[in-house]
Amino acid sequence: MAATKFAIDQTQFTAFSPLDRLAPRSVIELLNHSRIDRLPPGRRLFTRGESDGETIFLLSGQLALLADGPAATIRAQTEEAHGPIGEGQPRLHTAIAHTAATVLCVDSAVLRRLLAGDEQSSRGIASANDIATDTDDRTIAPPITGPEDDAAEQADPLPPLFERLPPMHRRLLRHRMERIEVAGGTELVRQGDKCLHFDLVEHGVLQLRRRGRGGERRLVSGDAVGPEVLLAGGTRHDATVTALEDCIVLRVPRQEFLALIARHYCRRITPADLSALTASGEVTLLDLRSPAAYRRSHMPGSINFPLPLLLTAAPTLDAGRRYALAGDSIRHCAAAAFRLAQHGARTLMLYDPIKTILHQRP
């Protein structure tokens, strides 16, 4: 299969079954027997009757599966794309890229061996030399995990935002995060302070204030502090957050937030991917800008939902829908993505929305 090859990171494994059952050390080994390929529209991925020894997962775009009957279309980030594409050797289908598509290809024999080994071990206890790479090219040592981790999850369940992460991410977070007690009247963070952590409110009520630009709201259980700053590469908090009562906050270091949480809730798509998803009715596009900006230009079919309104009204949106977010900046999209994730909704974010999408006349 001739295709353009791209770098791969291990967090992409956890979005698919059965890859999400692998222990951290097995993921590291499988990385050496995997690759990511990007296919242009019309490129053949595999042919019916051939045996290529690969297990393939769809990361983005759409694939058409051809056999004796009508073609079936598989779309990325749907339930049907949660597992391997066109399982079975020899292949029972021919797969062709219906749109530009990105696929993850792993060696089937190596995958079977690692899955069997992990099932026989004590849930894949990691060795001290295993490492996981985060978005800053630093290293994160996976924790030694075992039955006690399962007991911990049952006795002390994580907040919903963390519980919806893949199992391996949850295990890592349990070893990385801190529980911070914040007394009423105390500042958790101050505007202008270095932004080194992601904070999630577990219990209590805090007040967020932005000096100079206005903007004030309360943060309650499940609300996040500052994810938009971290995702935009910012180094300083853009608001002061004060506890209105005794609170408990879960604190995750910046690198772990980017590697384990942000990649799950802030998935990005291209305009080409968006067009296919909106045409099929699978995604609702929300334009987060002001009504005045929306009236000047916007993508046809989008719904104007200004960010301040969304932050308040997120609980009223249909959590069963998937939403694509476009705004003035990555910060706005990230703030909306985490607010919706808090209430169970799935989101996608556009690359460079202003340049590629929002300057279209309706």
Side-chain angles (χ1 to χ4, degrees), residues 107-125:
D107 186 295
S108 298
V110 175
L111 175 60
R112 287 194 297 270
R113 173 174 59 80
L114 293 173
L115 286 170
D118 288 346
E119 290 174 1
Q120 294 173 4
S121 67
S122 180
R123 295 186 59 83
I125 297 178

Side-chain angles (χ1 to χ4, degrees), residues 75-78 269-270 273-286 299-303 320-326 346-350:
R75 296 178 175 85
Q77 299 181 19
T78 61
I269 58 173
T270 66
D273 293 331
L274 176 66
S275 297
L277 291 171
T278 53
S280 66
E282 295 178 36
V283 164
T284 299
L285 175 60
L286 302 182
M299 183 178 181
S302 63
I303 299 172
R321 292 287 302 166
R322 177 174 289 182
Y323 299 96
L325 306 172
R346 298 174 298 164
T347 61
L348 302 166
M349 301 193 308
L350 292 175

Side-chain angles (χ1 to χ4, degrees), residues 95-318:
I96 297 174
H98 186 62
T99 65
T102 308
V103 295
L104 168 65
C105 306
V106 305
D107 186 295
S108 298
V110 175
L111 175 60
R112 287 194 297 270
R113 173 174 59 80
L114 293 173
L115 286 170
D118 288 346
E119 290 174 1
Q120 294 173 4
S121 67
S122 180
R123 295 186 59 83
I125 297 178
S127 72
N129 293 325
D130 289 339
I131 60 172
T133 305
D134 74 2
T135 54
D136 286 342
D137 295 327
R138 294 174 56 185
T139 57
I140 303 173
I144 296 178
T145 61
E148 66 275 9
D149 290 271
D150 298 325
E153 289 211 19
Q154 294 179 3
D156 184 20
L158 294 170
L161 188 71
F162 290 170
E163 282 291 351
R164 289 191 292 271
L165 294 172
M168 186 175 74
H169 289 204
R170 295 201 304 269
R171 290 198 294 269
L172 286 166
L173 280 173
R174 281 193 174 277
H175 290 259
R176 305 294 180 232
M177 71 181 184
E178 298 178 78
R179 269 190 171 85
I180 307 294
E181 295 184 359
V182 187
T186 303
E187 290 181 348
L188 175 66
V189 298
R190 180 176 295 180
Q191 189 168 342
D193 286 351
K194 287 187 176 180
C195 189
L196 303 176
H197 306 92
F198 167 80
D199 292 325
L200 185 75
V201 182
E202 184 177 46
H203 175 76
V205 181
L206 299 98
Q207 188 80 14
L208 181 148
R209 292 188 177 91
R210 288 188 171 88
R211 184 176 60 249
R213 291 181 292 160
E216 183 175 311
R217 65 186 179 96
R218 292 193 172 190
L219 304 177
V220 298
S221 177
D223 281 335
V225 179
E228 60 271 21
V229 176
L230 295 172
L231 285 165
T235 59
R236 302 283 176 178
H237 282 286
D238 63 355
T240 295
V241 178
T242 306
L244 297 181
E245 60 187 37
D246 292 349
C247 301
I248 298 177
V249 172
L250 301 180
R251 172 161 288 180
V252 178
R254 174 180 180 273
Q255 287 77 24
E256 282 81 350
F257 163 73
L258 293 173
L260 303 176
I261 302 173
R263 289 180 179 175
H264 184 77
Y265 287 117
C266 296
R267 298 180 182 274
R268 295 190 181 187
I269 58 173
T270 66
D273 293 331
L274 176 66
S275 297
L277 291 171
T278 53
S280 66
E282 295 178 36
V283 164
T284 299
L285 175 60
L286 302 182
D287 187 323
L288 306 176
R289 298 173 303 155
S290 68
Y294 182 81
R295 285 194 296 269
R296 286 194 297 270
S297 60
H298 62 267
M299 183 178 181
S302 63
I303 299 172
N304 187 211
F305 215 126
L307 179 61
L309 177 60
L310 185 142
L311 294 177
T312 301
T316 68
L317 272 66
D318 181 3

Side-chain angles (χ1 to χ4, degrees), residues 333-355:
C333 291
F338 274 90
R339 185 63 169 166
L340 289 170
Q342 176 190 345
H343 298 285
R346 298 174 298 164
T347 61
L348 302 166
M349 301 193 308
L350 292 175
Y351 286 107
D352 295 327
I354 290 298
K355 295 179 182 178

